[in-house]
Amino acid sequence: MPDPTQTCPQQLWPAPCAARYRARGYWRGVSFGGWLDEIAAAHGPREALVAGTLRLSYDELRNLARAYAAGFLGDGFAPGDRVLVQLPNGPAFLPVVLGLLYAGLVPVYALPAHRDREIAHLVAGSGARALICAESYEGFDYRPLAEAVRAACPSLTRIYIDGAPQAGMSRLADLADTAPLDAPVPRDPGSVAFLQISGGTTGFPKLIPRTHDDYIYSFEASAGICAVTPRSVLLTALPAAHNFPMSSPGYFGALSVGAKVVMSPSPAPGAAFPLIAAEGVTHTGLVPPLALLWMQAAKAAKHDLNSLEVLLVGGAKFTPEAAAQVRPTLGCQLQQVFGMAEGLVNYTRLDDPEEVILNTQGRPISPDDEILLLDEDGAPATGGHGVLHTRGPYTIRAYHNAPEANARAFTPEGFYCTGDIVRLRPDGNLEVQGRAGDHINRAGEKVSAEEIEDNLIAHEAVFDAVVVSVPDRFLGERSCAFVVLHDGAKAEDRALKAFIRGRGIAEFKVPDQIVFTDRFETTAVGKTDRKALRAALKKRHFA
Ligand code: OOB
């Protein structure tokens, strides 16, 4: 029997590639546990983490993580067990995640915005044995959610609450009352360190297996590209479970060089600006709508933002016009980042000409990131413009346990099909021009059209539904659902939205707009071709 806790063969890089990545020094052969020991040894007394009233040095962060690690193992978890983590950007996030990794457990990251249907899907898909969540965040009590997920998922045996647990749940902080683990539980650096969720174009999000070797390479290299140094201060403003704030260069990149990480409970200027002023923040990352909001707010800001050196913007297209406003309003340098949780990350470089920084989404981290542009039929694209396919030392070769999705998303040669339509400029920089896949990039959160459609069709009055993305001045894109009701059935906009919320999905997936229509034009496009139907509706209503 293969060991289900280790990387499955399909997820692995072919041996010659792996050998090359090791020989070139990308894969250092260190697991996250060993990495935590390394950074504590190198930067021990320096300040590592500021979150709420918690301030920890590297030594203290490591010790707290080691205590959590011992606590998890003492509660009966075994190396390789999956643990779902749904925590906001608070004091618990980093010590708990590092504790799990130190114990050889595999975090499965979820966003605070996810609700029971999504969490149950992630628990079932990963076989997670435990769930860690906050008692409440932004007015939402997570304990009933956790209980509902446990009732639906037999693998889930323990629930840890950051705050006050209900009966049958455990208090997260109690785990840290354990004598710290002496040394990290050994893990193969080539095995899966954690599971990230994909934005996804189909149904539910898929799970992205990232290995110790590949991930540590991606954030250590990113820290260099983003000029993060021991004197840098990085603010985590976006939800910490996202790949961007985690590794581009993210809190992991910052910790890898001995910088200070500051957690902001929210990305709103009201929460972030005082932290920038108080902690002397030098680096942070935002999605374009938030960058616009910050630039607006900075004009009237009471707080001193002078410490800011680099603002990374990515997750969705940042227009050149908005890009040009970063320095005049925030007084810092813009660095565009075009990345994906599946791997490949591109950055404009800090010493690039202004024209490149404003107009492009940069170029890959690694000399071994391979870029292949194909047309929509899969033939090599001409004219430096096509659908971006990529493989390399930190881009996955397969999703976790998803043979059908893998057949669609990866070529036989192991290239990941990003679905992004890009132009590769002669200078090597990429410009994102659009997308081949059917998802809505709503303020950087990727929402699958199919997933919303499935939720709408579950309503008894709904005969059919088609969801499309619509350009939005602030969000970048918003969702519009076209809905056909059953003959004689009635349903209102508000009731349908409430129904979707009631099904336990994140608020950002509730359609922004619902248009009731009599029937879908199926003659021109063929009844089953939803992709064409989405395109036709979009063209007719929003072109
Ligand atoms: C980041 O990761 P995901 O997995 O949430 O989304 C990836 C997708 C890309 O395939 C692309 O469609 C879009 O988000 N995207 C951009 C972009 N950055 C990401 N589209 C246009 N311009 C950009 N700058 O979003 C992510 C992961 C790591 C770093 C940064 C972003």
Side-chain angles (χ1 to χ4, degrees):
M1 270 284 282
D3 177 354
T5 69
Q6 290 290 318
T7 313
C8 84
Q10 200 191 5
Q11 289 166 3
L12 291 174
W13 285 262
C17 287
R20 186 167 75 238
Y21 300 155
R22 279 192 203 97
R24 300 203 169 163
Y26 308 144
W27 293 358
R28 296 202 291 113
V30 174
S31 69
F32 265 92
W35 174 81
L36 180 57
D37 283 353
E38 277 181 6
I39 58 170
H43 312 292
R46 294 181 60 82
E47 214 166 17
L49 175 64
V50 178
T53 55
L54 181 78
R55 301 186 88 91
L56 296 178
S57 68
Y58 278 78
D59 280 333
E60 289 163 339
L61 176 60
R62 172 171 174 265
N63 283 341
L64 188 52
R66 289 164 64 218
Y68 273 116
F72 284 118
L73 296 177
D75 266 1
F77 295 102
D81 280 348
R82 275 82 158 134
V83 176
L84 192 126
V85 180
Q86 187 186 28
L87 287 172
N89 295 10
F93 188 95
L94 260 171
V96 165
V97 162
L98 290 171
L100 289 168
L101 291 164
Y102 208 80
L105 304 180
V106 177
V108 182
Y109 297 114
L111 297 170
H114 284 137
R115 294 295 175 255
D116 43 314
R117 180 172 289 261
E118 289 142 332
I119 301 294
H121 167 77
L122 296 171
V123 168
S126 62
R129 291 189 58 203
L131 189 161
I132 302 174
C133 59
E135 174 190 334
S136 77
Y137 172 67
E138 292 195 336
F140 182 80
D141 186 340
Y142 286 82
R143 294 168 298 185
L145 177 157
E147 206 50 82
V149 173
R150 177 153 61 184
C153 300
S155 72
L156 195 73
T157 54
R158 299 291 294 251
I159 294 170
Y160 296 97
I161 302 292
D162 183 15
Q166 284 176 350
M169 302 179 180
S170 312
R171 183 187 298 274
L172 180 64
D174 288 350
L175 283 172
D177 285 339
T178 321
L181 204 62
D182 282 338
V185 171
R187 297 297 287 164
D188 174 356
S191 68
V192 175
F194 59 79
L195 296 169
Q196 242 324 338
I197 52 172
S198 75
T201 48
T202 56
F204 273 121
K206 296 174 289 293
L207 289 164
I208 297 173
R210 300 294 300 257
T211 65
H212 302 264
D213 265 337
D214 92 72
Y215 208 68
I216 290 174
Y217 168 53
S218 81
F219 65 72
E220 288 186 342
S222 293
I225 291 171
C226 304
V228 182
T229 68
R231 49 156 291 282
S232 301
V233 180
L234 178 128
L235 184 78
T236 305
L238 294 171
H242 267 305
N243 194 56
F244 176 12
M246 194 178 290
S247 65
S248 302
Y251 43 84
F252 282 143
L255 292 176
S256 73
V257 299
K260 177 169 87 175
V261 172
V262 180
M263 288 275 174
S264 181
S266 145
F273 285 9
L275 287 171
I276 294 174
E279 303 294 337
V281 169
T282 59
H283 288 67
T284 193
L286 294 175
V287 291
L290 283 168
L292 295 176
L293 189 67
W294 279 37
M295 293 194 290
Q296 189 60 35
K299 292 178 189 158
K302 296 190 299 286
H303 296 95
D304 180 0
L305 306 179
N306 279 330
S307 59
L308 273 181
E309 293 170 9
V310 180
L311 176 69
L312 289 118
V313 179
K317 178 82 180 236
F318 200 37
T319 63
E321 296 73 32
Q325 289 309 307
V326 170
R327 189 178 286 286
T329 54
L330 293 168
C332 65
Q333 161 138 33
L334 168 67
Q335 184 163 34
Q336 297 217 37
V337 47
F338 161 41
M340 51 212 70
E342 283 81 355
L344 180 72
V345 181
N346 306 276
Y347 296 99
T348 54
R349 302 308 198 256
L350 296 171
D351 57 0
D352 276 343
E354 188 80 349
E355 184 277 319
V356 170
I357 293 173
L358 298 185
N359 294 306
T360 84
Q361 282 64 55
R363 51 194 181 278
I365 292 177
S366 178
D368 274 86
D369 280 322
E370 298 173 67
I371 298 284
L372 178 68
L373 300 188
L374 300 178
D375 66 21
E376 299 212 9
D377 300 323
T382 49
H385 165 102
V387 181
L388 173 65
H389 290 67
T390 185
R391 60 181 186 188
Y394 59 98
T395 297
I396 58 164
R397 293 291 179 130
Y399 290 108
H400 174 72
N401 206 3
E404 282 172 28
N406 287 336
R408 275 193 307 272
F410 297 88
T411 70
E413 296 75 31
F415 281 86
Y416 166 59
C417 171
T418 68
D420 295 315
I421 300 170
V422 302
R423 182 164 92 89
L424 177 60
R425 306 194 338 169
D427 63 7
N429 289 297
L430 295 168
E431 269 175 37
V432 182
Q433 299 191 314
R435 189 178 54 241
D438 279 327
H439 67 242
I440 297 103
N441 188 341
R442 190 182 188 280
E445 295 292 359
K446 315 320 180 285
V447 183
S448 146
E450 191 179 311
E451 184 180 354
I452 309 183
E453 289 165 2
D454 290 348
N455 278 295
L456 281 164
I457 291 166
H459 191 283
E460 57 182 10
V462 176
F463 170 68
D464 202 357
V466 171
V467 173
V468 304
S469 66
V470 183
D472 184 278
R473 213 164 56 88
F474 181 63
L475 297 168
E477 293 178 2
R478 63 177 194 273
S479 58
C480 175
F482 293 92
V483 171
V484 178
L485 296 177
H486 284 292
D487 285 343
K490 285 198 170 41
E492 283 175 358
D493 185 293
R494 282 242 303 277
L496 275 187
K497 289 185 182 174
F499 171 78
I500 297 235
R501 277 187 199 103
R503 284 178 56 82
I505 65 167
E507 184 65 27
F508 62 76
K509 295 182 186 170
V510 175
D512 293 297
Q513 190 182 350
I514 296 180
V515 176
F516 291 95
T517 174
D518 288 346
R519 63 187 183 94
F520 291 134
E521 192 55 69
T522 51
T523 43
V525 291
K527 200 174 169 76
T528 52
D529 190 347
R530 300 192 75 78
K531 205 174 153 60
L533 187 52
R534 288 186 197 113
L537 280 167
K538 211 171 145 161
K539 197 164 163 206
R540 181 155 358 112
H541 291 262
F542 298 107

